[in-house]
Amino acid sequence: LYLNWKIEIEKLNLNANIKEGTSKEIIKNNIGHYTNSNILCGIIALKAYNIGEKNNYFANLKELQIDDEINYTVNEVEIIYKVISNKIIENNALEDSQKEYTQIYEYIQSQNNFSKKDILILITYVKDMPNKFRCVIAEKNIN
């Protein structure tokens, strides 16, 4: 059970709880965790709305730049990630979270510009582009 599961991005003035799952009901009020991604290490993938809901946690995701920091906390463990990529990618999954995650994972695997060991992925929709995602990739800060 994850009692203290949250993400904090100081640059975006974002501090929000994370809940398991990426259904509409979950991401309406929380940042959702793709259930088939990891929680503490490896590839961690999160999703939230950016427009049109009461809580648009990822509204300013497009403002994140290389080396911006993201704090990710699970219970007593806090991990700092640094942004290494912020791109718009294809979304052909049409709200099937397993297919979405598979597509995101395949995109990650196709990129050669980072280690792929411990990464945090933030996903949101792109306004007026239903077949696209904004995909922010951050790598665990080794320093």
Side-chain angles (χ1 to χ4, degrees):
L1 185 66
Y2 306 107
L3 304 174
N4 180 24
W5 193 11
K6 64 182 182 175
I7 183 173
E8 186 175 358
I9 307 174
E10 197 173 314
K11 179 178 182 174
L12 304 182
N13 200 21
L14 171 68
N15 190 338
N17 291 323
I18 299 167
K19 292 269 192 280
E20 191 61 57
T22 56
S23 69
K24 283 181 180 179
E25 294 73 37
I26 289 171
I27 67 171
K28 195 182 282 190
N29 297 306
N30 306 278
I31 292 175
H33 172 257
Y34 282 92
T35 54
N36 33 359
S37 75
N38 296 321
I39 289 174
L40 259 179
C41 58
I43 297 174
I44 301 164
L46 305 175
K47 180 179 179 183
Y49 284 119
N50 62 22
I51 194 168
E53 294 295 332
K54 185 176 75 174
N55 295 301
N56 299 301
Y57 291 115
F58 287 173
N60 299 315
L61 223 51
K62 62 183 171 286
E63 293 175 21
L64 287 179
Q65 297 173 323
I66 306 300
D67 288 335
D68 284 343
E69 288 190 354
I70 300 169
N71 290 1
Y72 175 80
T73 304
V74 181
N75 291 340
E76 301 304 313
V77 180
E78 183 180 329
I79 305 167
I80 297 171
Y81 291 86
K82 283 203 171 192
V83 174
I84 56 171
S85 172
N86 187 343
K87 292 192 165 88
I88 292 177
I89 65 168
E90 292 297 315
N91 165 21
N92 302 315
L94 299 171
E95 297 190 32
D96 177 324
S97 68
Q98 278 195 301
K99 285 182 184 165
E100 277 180 9
Y101 179 72
T102 300
Q103 193 170 334
I104 294 158
Y105 182 80
E106 287 168 359
Y107 169 74
I108 300 297
Q109 296 302 315
S110 73
Q111 304 301 299
N112 297 317
N113 58 340
F114 53 93
S115 68
K116 300 184 186 106
K117 287 187 184 76
D118 287 319
I119 60 173
L120 178 67
I121 306 164
L122 309 180
I123 295 291
T124 193
Y125 298 103
V126 179
K127 187 179 181 204
D128 301 327
M129 299 171 82
N131 61 337
K132 304 280 186 198
F133 279 133
R134 174 160 301 277
C135 178
V136 172
I137 301 170
E139 214 170 28
K140 188 175 181 178
N141 191 9
I142 310 300
N143 302 342

